[in-house]
């Protein structure tokens, strides 16, 4: 029983992994790619690892740790990459509608007095 | 097909080594040369793993009962690779530190311009 | 019987413990290498008579040889270890007051580890372990060459590192191939199996190995790192590099050719390579005005002579080569130490600026003179015996090609004589310009130089002190079945 | 010209490779000496991970050397990049405050740091049971410190303490080797009881050495990272 | 034991003198004289003994170092010791104003010790060892004065090294062929050797010994070295050190190879002896005529040393009783008079503040009479004027040439003598005769410590000139030891049956001739006494550089022979050195400084190994 | 069988990410590609563990996750000039 | 490394860290064998010594049942949002025309704690079409794949509010 559930969960995860990769492949600029990459691959990895934990119940706890680790770290790295892209001057897609960060030029300066 | 499968890993390792050597021979940027050296290291590590690999066998860790001694790959190259990797890291770190110093002194990373010592 | 593992364990432990001693007092650090190497010298001297009676094969970890890393302490090993620890000890004493550039604690650690690496290379019976110790030696040399952190030192270290890394990679490729073929890493075990393998395969492995070790051995055309590194390193390190480090490269090449592969066919080529190295080294040295670079090129020449002698491959030839290793190690260490302190006092590396130091630094100049004379091969110094033996060995093989070789080699020594005599004259017979305030050194600097001078003269006058050991060592290199027997005999 | 010559040379070497590799076919059983390890490893060393028993027991000397190599790199790097105290202060003053990491990274790193260290410890403690080991664990510990550097670039580890820890752990390795010499007459002998395979307290000296290596490697890599980050500016 | 004692005294003396010198200069001087004197005494005591000792085993080479004394070695040993003693005696005053005297004395003794070692060695290894010790200590002494001496020293040692390796090559080849290096064993073993091998040996040894003996074309180091060394050492250098080469020739040719084999070497005119004697002849011509061109007194003597060396070669190359005796005796004689002459130049330098330029000296005859006498007798010996020792030996050599039917060589030797006369007259005249320059008004005779050696040497010249039987007796002993028919001697010369020479007759002839010449000169109206300070000649003011009428004494001669007498060999060597230098410069360009290139070298090497194996199947 | 399909899909995903990493066009784009690849690989390793029935793959996967996270952060910090 | 500013209750912070680490260890080893527990305790204690000053600033103080309850409630809320987000992205990825309207908007937050801001930022990153680019004081700059409103207040309402109400309680 748990085998079937496990493989289903795993399958959903793999599908999301694939979608994430596809998004990274298709989307027009780095920020949009990150959007796709972060969300889909995080969930995808999470689900497939949990799925594996369900398939092999004795592994579950360890799988959980890996999955949670990914869940916690992936947004951080996505954020760091987005910020780095922005700071290193990667332009938004030219069809982007708004860039508050541009108005928010104190981004950098404000950081100084930020604790 | 199986021929290519047999040779693939050797081609990868030999190729990495040769690419690394090519970089060392031709590239003038110090950082690139250091990266070239790393290519060579990596190629050798793959070579070692290739040598230790036996088709259809598993890692030599008897962590559960079902694994028979006749069914594991050679543990020695893995141990060697572990050592080789650490040594590679050590050399890489030292190389970078020296490159930093060289850059501070010469204000360039181009080896054709760093020729204070010759003849 | 003292366990030879201590020869490696002791300096290693002392090197690791230098920061701990640093807690007690900042000043202790510089004495630690001296203590460690004193112990090593003691051990090796205790070992010599025992080993000459019966070579020792010491397992590390307690399993029997082919399944375990083991040390093979034969006459060759004990000879080289004695040389390494003795020269190391003297240089360590010298460094006590010579090394002033911070961080001295790290210098002494690296130095001791370099010596450990050299010791491991000559003792180990396992080819991959040889590689590991080789890397220990190389990496600590890279760091030490750059130790002064000046423009020259870092540039030299960088070039050395690039070439050395390529060399180590080749060694590792060779080892990988050998393991792939024989499934073992024990040198004796490999040696006992080589006949079963395809000769082309074997030669390709050998080619990688000797190219790799040849770089450290500074055989032409693999020696471009040497003049840079030797001339830019702190002089104590130049002494070690010239006196010890390149010898371990030669050891590596010799071990591969003689013991493992039994590659008789390549020996004449090796001798030719040695000759070429000799010629190029001496020619390049001739026009140098940088004293350390001159000494460095001279080291290339001398290593050429050593390799040439080893390529003769008779017991006398190998004996002569080993003798040359001793006499060159003593003389070149002495020269670098003496030159190092002169440079330190005068503040310039140019030979011209050393003019007139004979009066200002009589002992140092005297030491330098003795070193040069020995290198040129003048009696009654150690270099004479080795030069004589080399010529004797080359003529004794009665092959016309070697006659030609030895004539060329002798002509090269004329070039060598030319530039060394010039430097000596500079010291004594030329008016110095900026040497008025220069004074002779004392203490830790002068003691090792005096000891080296004495050993050069004593060995020159009474070579029998070491000939027995060297004969044994030559026998070990040429008698590979004996070597295999020591290691695998029991199993 | 140089390119052409290089390529010709590399082709020759490639031919050499082809000759050599063709004699050691991929995937075929070439195991010789290692059979001994595979068959007797667990019994002789108590470690179920044969790689580990090779790394720390049959070829423990290599590992000691390897640790030494890393130690040399750390020390050498420190020596090469050493800057006198006075100069260093000036450099610190010049540091740009806008280089701080974002709040998310800082906070995330603080939370992750101890967890990563524990991962590292887990990896090297279980070196004889899993593919992990001292080097891998040490690398993870160092990566934890690296994360902290990335989040808080201005902060430094206490070099003296870490140096002492390196030394001590190195000494422990050598010391255990020497104890083996004392107890069994061979350097680095596994003189402790081997325990029951597949439990944590087995394999004699192996876990102890791996713990020492873990600490040593962790501190060394951290020191290397520290030096590189600090001096490369 | 006795021989070992000699060497120990000699070497230890050198060492101790250096150490004592650090404490007291006086003690050092005394000790130096004492040490050299003891050596003289010890060597004298060994007269007519036959000793053979093995003093140091070298088991790893299956060899042991041995010493021996026989007539030949004693003959040279006593010469070495004697000249050594006298030159050290001379140094006491002469060297006072020099620095680094500890080094100087120690090295003087060291050189002597080295030479003693060479002549006392009974095997080639010992000979080579002492030879090398002698060479490098000589090099240090030549360079001692600094300045130009540095170049001279370097030239000497480099050429010397070339010689050494030739010798080393021959020695090692002997050892590999015969398993021994002892002279006595080799002498018998070589009798079965092929002529080709003997020729090879001889050529190697001739290069080795010939460079030391400065035979043409291996002579080019000598003029510089002699000129730039300090005078007492020039005396040693030219007097005996160079002649150790003759010792070597005699040893190898007659003591070891032997006449039988020598005569078999070569075909017709390409006979070994013949070629050798032509080398000697060329040396004579080149040496004496280039000497003519010299303005430097020591350089002039130096070139004569080359020329006189030619006479010795000429003498010994024939292997006849008379010839060998002539050659060896000439060696001794040359040693004495040339040492004397160098001491004379030293004395002149000492008083004139180091002036060696013949054009700036003059008129010292009254100021330095003893020195003048020394110079006069010295050049008489050099020319070979009867009643001086040089006459006897030259007479023997001429006689040999004539008896061996080589009139052309005899003619060459004669020309050499004419050249000698011309040049040494310039020497004597420009120093002692003619006008005394203003600046030398206060010059005095040299102190006694310097006079004494000159007086001794002068007396010996006369002694041997009048009583040549004393040394010839020893020389006939040497010949006996070679197994050659010995020269039979009487105290005044030798009896009729070999080649009559009786100094009494010659003395009588000379007295008659002398009286005759005196009469002619004193009665001649053309002769007038010119005041030594007379700066005017024929009433016109002479430019400063023509202060003396003898400035550029032989200008017309120069113009004729000068262009032909350039030392082309030296030019050739210089050309060779320059070419080598630029070649070396080219070689070291391979270290380009570009690390890519260095990596390329490495990979080239590897690729070479691989391609030779796979492609050509080598190894 | 199921797993084989999963592997196939994952390999395609990896290739897509790899193309992005190779194509760029900016440095952050490449890093994003690599980052996605890494995340996929972490999952892949766990699945391989299921496939080979060896728990040791979990450890590998965990180590890989940690190291790659720190690695990506390092590159990110390098890009925003925080290093 | 860094000495934390707040000097409150070191013991509590340490213990909290230790317990967290020990739990992690047990999860990692997935066993209750005594050797593992002892070893885990030792290493947790050791590492907590290094890391407690980073790990938590408050320790046990302020941990209440209510907060835990809210935290447990937060998890499904978050997961639901995440699943929605994924399907949203999936839709856009697969859609041949890629219906996107990206831009960077600004939102505000009232959260004070760093950890709270971190979780908010991460949650936003993982939920529909949004990606936290920067947090400056109480402003979050968000990359929005389909900008619905450029107004700060409105954007805050759409993007942040759904998490913030839980987080405000949890990190009071
Ligand atoms: Na990630
Ligand atoms: Na392991």
């Amino acid at each position: 029983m748990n085998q079937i559930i496990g493989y289903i969960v795993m399958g959903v995860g793999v599908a999301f992994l694939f979608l994430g990769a596809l998004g990274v492949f298709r989307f027009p600029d780095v920020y949009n790619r990150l959007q796709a990459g972060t969300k889909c691959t995080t969930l995808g990895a999470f689900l497939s690892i949990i799925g594996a934990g369900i398939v092999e119940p004795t592994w579950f706890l360890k799988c959980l740790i890996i999955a949670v680790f990914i869940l916690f770290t992936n947004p951080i790295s996505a954020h760091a990459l987005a910020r780095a892209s922005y700071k290193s001057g990667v332009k938004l897609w030219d069809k982007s509608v708004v860039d508050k960060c541009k108005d928010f030029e104190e981004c950098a300066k404000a950081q100084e007095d930020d604790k | 097909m199986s021929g290519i499968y047999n040779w693939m890993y050797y081609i990868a390792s030999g190729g990495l080594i040769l690419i690394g050597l090519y970089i060392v021979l031709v590239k003038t940027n110090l950082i690139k040369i250091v990266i070239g050296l790393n290519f060579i290291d990596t190629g050798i590590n793959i070579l070692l793993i290739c040598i230790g690999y036996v088709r259809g066998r598993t890692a030599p860790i008897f962590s559960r009962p079902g694994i028979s001694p006749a069914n594991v790959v050679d543990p020695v190259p893995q141990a060697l690779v572990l050592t080789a990797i650490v040594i590679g890291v050590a050399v890489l770190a030292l190389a970078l530190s020296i490159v930093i110093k060289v850059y501070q002194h010469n204000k360039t990373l181009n080896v054709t311009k760093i020729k204070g010592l010759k003849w | 019987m003292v366990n030879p593992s201590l020869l490696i364990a002791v300096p290693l432990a002392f090197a690791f413990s230098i920061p701990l001693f640093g807690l007690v007092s900042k000043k202790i650090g510089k004495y630690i290498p001296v203590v460690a190497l004193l112990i090593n010298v003691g051990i090796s001297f205790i070992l010599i008579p025992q080993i000459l009676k019966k070579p020792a094969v010491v397992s590390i970890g307690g399993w029997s040889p082919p399944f375990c890393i083991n040390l093979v302490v034969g006459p060759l090993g004990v000879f080289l270890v004695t040389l390494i620890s003795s020269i190391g000890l003297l240089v360590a004493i010298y460094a006590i007051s010579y090394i002033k550039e911070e961080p001295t604690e790290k210098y002494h650690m690296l130095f001791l580890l370099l010596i450990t690496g050299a010791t491991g290379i000559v003792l180990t019976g396992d080819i991959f372990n040889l590689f590991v110790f080789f890397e220990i030696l190389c990496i600590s040399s890279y760091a030490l060459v750059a130790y002064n952190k000046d423009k020259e030192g870092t540039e030299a270290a960088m070039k050395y590192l690039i070439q050395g890394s390529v060399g180590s990679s080749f060694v590792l490729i060779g080892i990988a191939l050998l393991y792939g073929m024989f499934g073992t890493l024990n040198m004796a075990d490999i040696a006992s199996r080589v006949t079963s393998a395809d000769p082309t395969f074997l030669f390709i492995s050998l080619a990688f190995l000797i190219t790799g070790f040849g770089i450290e051995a500074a055989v032409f055309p693999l020696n471009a790192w040497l003049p840079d590194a030797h001339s830019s390193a702190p002089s104590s390190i130049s002494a070690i590099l010239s006196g010890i480090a390149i010898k371990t490269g030669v050891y590596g090449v010799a071990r591969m050719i003689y013991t493992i592969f039994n590659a008789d066919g390549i020996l004449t080529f090796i001798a030719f390579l040695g000759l070429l190295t000799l010629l190029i080294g001496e020619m390049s040295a001739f026009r140098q005005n940088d004293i350390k670079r001159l000494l460095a090129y001279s080291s290339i020449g001398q290593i050429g002579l050593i390799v040439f002698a080893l390529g003769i491959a008779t017991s006398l030839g190998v004996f002569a080569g080993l003798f040359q290793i001793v006499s060159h190690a003593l003389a070149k260490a002495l020269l670098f130490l003496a030159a190092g302190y002169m440079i330190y006092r005068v503040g310039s590396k140019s030979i011209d600026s050393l003019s007139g130091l004979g009066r200002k630094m009589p002992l140092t100049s005297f030491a330098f003179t003795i070193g040069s004379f020995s290198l040129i091969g003048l009696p009654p110094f150690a270099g004479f015996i080795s030069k004589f033996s080399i010529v004797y060995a080359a003529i004794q093989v009665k092959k016309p090609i070697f006659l030609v070789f030895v004539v060329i080699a002798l002509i090269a020594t004329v070039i060598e004589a030319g530039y060394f005599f010039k430097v000596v004259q500079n010291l004594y017979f030329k008016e110095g310009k900026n040497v008025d305030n220069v004074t002779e050194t004392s203490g830790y600097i002068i003691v090792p130089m005096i000891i080296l001078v004495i050993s050069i003269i004593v060995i020159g006058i009474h070579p029998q002190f070491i000939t027995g050991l060297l004969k044994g060592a030559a026998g070990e290199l040429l008698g590979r079945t004996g070597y295999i027997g020591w290691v695998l005999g029991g199993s | 010209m140089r390119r052409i010559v290089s390529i010709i040379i590399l082709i020759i070497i490639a031919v050499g490779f082809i000759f050599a590799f063709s004699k050691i076919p991929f995937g075929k059983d070439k195991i010789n000496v290692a059979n001994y390890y595979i068959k007797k490893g667990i019994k002789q060393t108590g470690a179920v991970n044969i790689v580990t028993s090779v790394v720390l027991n049959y070829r423990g000397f290599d590992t000691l050397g390897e640790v030494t190599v890393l130690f040399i790199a750390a020390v050498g790097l420190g020596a090469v990049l050493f800057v006198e105290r006075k100069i260093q202060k000036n450099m610190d003053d010049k540091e740009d405050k806008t280089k701080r990491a974002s709040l998310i990274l800082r906070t995330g790193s603080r939370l992750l740091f101890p967890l990563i260290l524990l991962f590292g410890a887990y990896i090297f403690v279980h070196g004889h049971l899993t593919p992990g080991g001292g080097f891998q664990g040490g690398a993870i510990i160092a990566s934890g410190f690296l994360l902290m550097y990335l989040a808080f670039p201005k902060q430094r580890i206490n070099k003296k303490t870490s140096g002492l820890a390196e030394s001590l752990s190195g000494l422990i390795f050598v010391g255990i080797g020497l104890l083996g010499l004392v107890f069994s007459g061979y350097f680095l002998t596994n003189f402790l009881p081997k325990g029951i395979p597949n439990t944590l307290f087995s394999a004699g000296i192996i876990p102890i050495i791996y713990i020492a290596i873990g600490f040593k490697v962790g501190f060394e890599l951290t020191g290397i990272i520290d030096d590189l980050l600090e001096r490369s500016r | 034991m006795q021989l070992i004692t000699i060497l120990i005294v000699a070497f230890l003396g050198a060492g101790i003198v250096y150490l004592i010198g650090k404490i007291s200069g006086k003690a050092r001087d005394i000790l130096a004289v004492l040490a050299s004197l003891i050596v003289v005494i010890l060597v004298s005591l060994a007269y007519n003994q036959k000793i053979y000792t093995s003093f140091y085993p070298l088991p790893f080479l299956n060899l042991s170092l041995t010493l021996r004394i026989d007539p030949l070695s004693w003959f040279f040993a006593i010469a070495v010791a004697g000249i050594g003693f006298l030159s050290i005696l001379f140094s006491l005053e002469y060297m006072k104003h020099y620095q680094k005297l500890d080094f100087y004395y120690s090295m003087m003794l060291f050189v002597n010790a080295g030479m003693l070692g060479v002549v006392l060695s009974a095997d080639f290894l010992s000979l080579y060892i002492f030879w090398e010790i002698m060479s490098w200590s000589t090099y240090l002494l030549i360079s001692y004065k600094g300045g130009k001496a540095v170049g001279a020293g370097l030239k000497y040692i480099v050429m010397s090294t070339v010689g050494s390796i030739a010798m080393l090559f021959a020695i090692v080849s002997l050892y590999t062929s015969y398993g021994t290096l002892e002279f006595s064993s080799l002498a018998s073993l070589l009798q079965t050797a092929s002529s080709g091998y003997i020729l090879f040996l001889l050529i190697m040894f001739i290069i080795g010994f010939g460079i030391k003996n400065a035979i043409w074309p291996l002579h080019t180091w000598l003029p510089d070295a002699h000129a730039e060394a300090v005078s007492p050492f020039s005396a040693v250098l030219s007097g005996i050190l160079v002649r150790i080469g003759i010792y070597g020739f005699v040893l190898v040719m007659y003591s070891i190879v032997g006449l039988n084999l020598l005569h078999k070497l070569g075909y017709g005119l390409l006979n070994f002896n013949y070629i050798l004697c032509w080398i000697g002849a060329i040396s004579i011509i080149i040496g004496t005529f280039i000497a003519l061109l010299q303005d430097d007194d020591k350089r002039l003597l130096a070139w004569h040393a080359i020329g006189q060396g030619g006479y010795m070669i000429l003498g010994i190359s024939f292997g006849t009783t008379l010839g060998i005796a002539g050659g060896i005796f000439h060696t001794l004689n040359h040693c004495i008079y040339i040492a004397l002459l160098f001491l004379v130049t030293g004395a002149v330098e000492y008083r004139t503040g180091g002036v060696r330029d013949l054009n700036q000296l003059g008129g010292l005859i009254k100021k330095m009479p003893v020195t003048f006498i020394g110079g006069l007798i010295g050049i008489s010996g050099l020319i070979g004027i009867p009643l001086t020792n040089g006459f006897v030996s030259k007479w023997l050599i001429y006689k040999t040439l004539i008896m061996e039917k080589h009139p052309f060589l005899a003619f060459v030797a004669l020309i050499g003598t004419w050249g000698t006369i011309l040049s040494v007259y310039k020497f004597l005249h420009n120093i002692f005769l003619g006008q005394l320059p203003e600046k030398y008004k206060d010059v005095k005779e040299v102190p006694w410590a310097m006079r004494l050696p000159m007086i001794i040497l002068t007396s010996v010249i006369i002694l041997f000139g009048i009583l040549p039987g004393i040394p010839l007796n020893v020389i006939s002993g040497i010949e006996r030891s070679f197994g050659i028919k010995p020269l039979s001697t009487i105290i005044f010369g030798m009896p009729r049956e070999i080649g009559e020479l009786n100094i009494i007759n010659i003395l009588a002839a000379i007295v008659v001739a002398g009286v005759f010449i005196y009469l002619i000169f004193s009665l001649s109206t053309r002769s007038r006494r010119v005041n030594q300070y007379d700066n005017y000649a024929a009433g016109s003011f002479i430019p400063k550089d023509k202060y003396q009428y003898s400035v550029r004494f032989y200008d017309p001669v120069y113009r004729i022979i000068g262009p032909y007498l350039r030392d082309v060999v030296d030019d050739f060597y210089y050309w060779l050195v320059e070419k080598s230098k630029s070649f070396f410069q080219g070689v070291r360009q391979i270290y380009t400084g570009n690390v890519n290139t260095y990596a390329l070298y490495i990979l080239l090497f590897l690729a070479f190994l691989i391609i030779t194996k796979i492609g050509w199947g080598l190894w | 069988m199921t797993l084989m399909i999963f592997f196939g899909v994952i390999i395609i995903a990896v290739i897509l990410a790899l193309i992005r990493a190779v194509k760029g066009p900016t440095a952050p784009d490449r890093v994003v590609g690599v980052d996605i690849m890494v995340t996929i690989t972490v999952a892949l390793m766990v699945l391989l563990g299921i496939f080979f029935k060896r728990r040791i793959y979990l450890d590998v996967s965990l180590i890989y996750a940690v190291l790659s996270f720190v690695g990506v952060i390092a590159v990110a910090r390098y890009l925003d000039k925080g290093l | 490394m860094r000495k934390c500013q707040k000097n409150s209750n070191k013991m509590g912070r340490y213990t909290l860290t230790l317990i967290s680490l020990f739990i992690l260890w047990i999860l990692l080893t997935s066993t209750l064998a005594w050797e593992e527990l002892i070893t885990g305790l030792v290493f947790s204690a050791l590492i907590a010594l290094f890391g407690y000053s980073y790990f938590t600033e408050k320790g046990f103080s302020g941990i209440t049942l209510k907060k835990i309850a809210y935290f447990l409630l937060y998890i499904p809320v978050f997961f639901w949002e995440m699943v929605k987000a994924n399907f949203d992205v999936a839709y856009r990825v697969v859609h041949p025309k890629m219906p996107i309207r990206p831009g960077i908007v600004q939102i505000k937050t009232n959260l004070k704690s760093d950890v709270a801001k971190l979780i908010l930022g991460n949650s936003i990153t993982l939920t529909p079409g949004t990606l936290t680019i920067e947090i400056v004081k109480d402003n979050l700059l968000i990359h929005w794949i389909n900008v619905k409103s450029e107004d700060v207040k409105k954007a805050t309402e759409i993007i942040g509010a759904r998490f913030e109400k839980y987080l405000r309680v949890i990190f009071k």
Side-chain angles (χ1 to χ4, degrees), chain A residues 41 70 73-75 77-78, chain F residues 35-36 38-39 42 65 68-69 72:
Chain A
T41 54
I70 286 180
T73 56
N74 259 5
S77 52
Chain F
D35 183 30
I36 299 308
V38 162
T39 309
V42 171
S68 61
F69 167 65
V72 169

Side-chain angles (χ1 to χ4, degrees), chain C residues 124-128 130 174-175 178 182 184-195 202 205-206 209 213 251-264 476-477 479-481 483-484:
Chain C
T124 187
D126 183 283
I127 195 166
F128 189 80
L130 177 65
I175 292 170
L178 286 182
F182 302 114
T184 177
L185 292 165
N186 187 293
M187 295 204 279
D189 203 12
I190 297 174
S192 68
R193 292 163 194 260
V194 279
T195 42
L202 280 181
S205 320
L206 178 66
L209 285 166
F213 287 117
Y251 166 83
V253 174
R255 208 25 127 204
M256 295 306 128
I257 292 179
Y258 285 115
T259 307
I260 297 192
F261 288 91
N262 196 17
D264 294 332
E476 178 183 340
L477 264 187
R480 65 194 290 272
T481 44
Y483 179 89
I484 296 169

Side-chain angles (χ1 to χ4, degrees), chain C residues 3-14 40 43 60 71 115-121 123-124 129 133 136, chain D residues 61 64 174 187:
Chain C
N3 193 310
S5 327
L6 289 175
L7 286 168
I8 293 165
V10 166
L12 206 52
F14 273 103
N40 261 21
I43 295 175
I60 304 285
L71 303 182
I115 301 291
T116 314
T119 311
I121 290 175
L123 287 187
T124 187
N129 197 239
F133 280 109
I136 290 180
Chain D
F61 209 42
L64 181 56
V174 182
F187 189 67

Side-chain angles (χ1 to χ4, degrees), chain D residues 49 51-52 126-133 136 210:
Chain D
N49 181 348
V51 177
T52 296
H126 291 81
H128 52 306
L129 307 174
T130 68
Q136 297 91 320
Y210 252 166

Side-chain angles (χ1 to χ4, degrees), chain C residues 85-113:
Chain C
S85 353
S86 314
I87 300 279
L89 174 64
L90 296 177
V91 174
I93 295 172
Y94 178 86
I96 290 175
S97 36
Y98 176 74
I99 293 296
K100 300 208 167 62
E101 171 94 26
E102 286 294 328
T104 52
E105 192 180 67
K106 291 197 179 357
Y107 168 88
H108 294 292
M109 279 192 262
L110 291 171
F111 172 79
L112 203 43
L113 291 170

Side-chain angles (χ1 to χ4, degrees), chain C residues 229-438:
Chain C
H230 287 214
S231 64
S232 312
S235 290
S236 48
I237 294 309
S238 313
I240 286 296
L241 289 182
S242 258
I244 291 175
I246 52 180
K247 294 346 184 271
T248 59
V250 174
Y251 166 83
V253 174
R255 208 25 127 204
M256 295 306 128
I257 292 179
Y258 285 115
T259 307
I260 297 192
F261 288 91
N262 196 17
D264 294 332
I266 203 175
L267 284 169
T268 310
F269 174 69
I270 291 290
F272 171 72
L273 216 55
L275 186 70
L276 208 58
T277 311
L278 170 67
L279 279 173
I280 295 211
E282 304 298 13
M283 287 179 185
S284 307
F286 193 80
R287 293 294 295 265
Q288 281 303 322
N289 193 35
D290 176 327
I291 180 75
K292 285 187 74 178
R293 224 174 154 72
L294 180 139
L295 293 179
Y297 278 119
S298 142
S299 286
I300 292 183
Q302 294 287 324
I303 219 75
L305 204 53
I306 292 168
V307 171
F308 170 70
L310 292 178
I312 296 171
T314 57
S315 72
L316 188 68
V318 176
F319 167 83
L322 297 176
F323 207 119
Q324 178 71 13
I325 285 182
V326 179
S327 52
H328 177 243
L330 295 175
K332 197 45 74 63
L334 176 59
L335 286 172
F336 269 119
L337 297 187
Y341 220 71
M342 291 180 192
I343 293 166
Y344 175 73
R345 282 289 158 92
V346 176
S348 158
K349 288 206 274 187
S350 111
I351 292 173
D352 297 331
S353 69
L354 302 182
S355 300
L357 277 185
R359 197 159 333 144
K360 299 289 179 184
M361 305 175 75
L363 284 172
T364 315
S365 308
F366 174 70
F368 190 94
T369 309
I370 298 296
S372 334
F373 281 11
S374 177
L375 270 194
I376 297 166
L378 299 179
F381 308 111
F384 166 69
I385 307 285
S386 48
K387 192 168 138 190
F388 185 86
S389 314
I390 289 172
V391 176
Y392 179 28
I395 294 178
Q396 200 200 31
V397 287
K398 300 229 162 93
K399 286 183 196 156
I401 184 93
F402 275 99
L403 278 184
V404 176
F405 283 179
V406 79
V407 169
I408 298 174
L410 284 174
I411 290 170
T413 64
V414 177
I415 305 175
E416 180 175 46
Y419 61 79
F420 266 124
F421 280 124
K422 207 157 76 184
V423 178
V424 170
Q425 285 186 325
N426 244 25
L427 291 179
Y428 285 106
F429 308 118
K430 281 202 174 157
E431 287 303 313
K433 278 162 213 141
N434 308 313
V435 293
D436 291 339
N437 301 323
V438 175

